[in-house]
Amino acid sequence: MAQSEAVIRVLLAKVGLDGHDRGVKIVARTLRDAGMDVVYTGLHRTPEEVVDAALQEDVDILGISLLSGVHMTVFPRVLELLREKGGEDIIVAGGGVIPDEDVAELERMGVARVLLQDTPPQEIVDAFRALVAERGPR
């Protein structure tokens, strides 16, 4: 990593009643091993808690993992809260179990990238680096 290159800061969250976090913990470890600063909020968070944590931690990327089918309500709320609280420069990414037909709609509403449960770990690292490079400095 070049000296002038800033470390990418990521907050990973599980929103709602989904109690499965093995996958998100693997992603957190993969991103840390790639040199990123990662905060994992734990299970059963609300959109408000996640957005507040992302703002407090001054993250580049907010990654939300969902397996429970509530993605079409969680992501619009998270994006709305980020706009209301001045966090429009935080990149929102989604992951987990999300039907293919919903991916395009999530991206249309402002989710920068949706990485499904079968995404190879290095692809997640590469995607996060590309998203931050595309956004540019804050």
Side-chain angles (χ1 to χ4, degrees), residues 17 98 120:
L17 300 178
I98 297 173

Side-chain angles (χ1 to χ4, degrees), residues 75-137:
F75 282 107
R77 181 66 181 140
V78 166
L79 292 164
E80 175 187 32
L81 287 166
L82 284 170
R83 281 190 298 275
E84 287 174 5
K85 296 180 178 213
E88 299 93 342
D89 61 337
I90 295 175
I91 298 161
V92 176
V97 178
I98 297 173
D100 292 337
E101 59 269 16
D102 291 342
V103 171
E105 178 62 19
L106 290 170
E107 290 174 345
R108 187 195 64 71
M109 69 177 63
V111 177
R113 185 79 188 266
V114 178
L115 301 150
L116 302 177
Q117 74 271 12
D118 56 353
T119 304
Q122 187 59 48
E123 188 177 323
I124 298 169
V125 170
D126 295 342
F128 279 22
R129 286 180 175 149
L131 288 168
V132 172
E134 288 168 19
R135 184 205 57 206

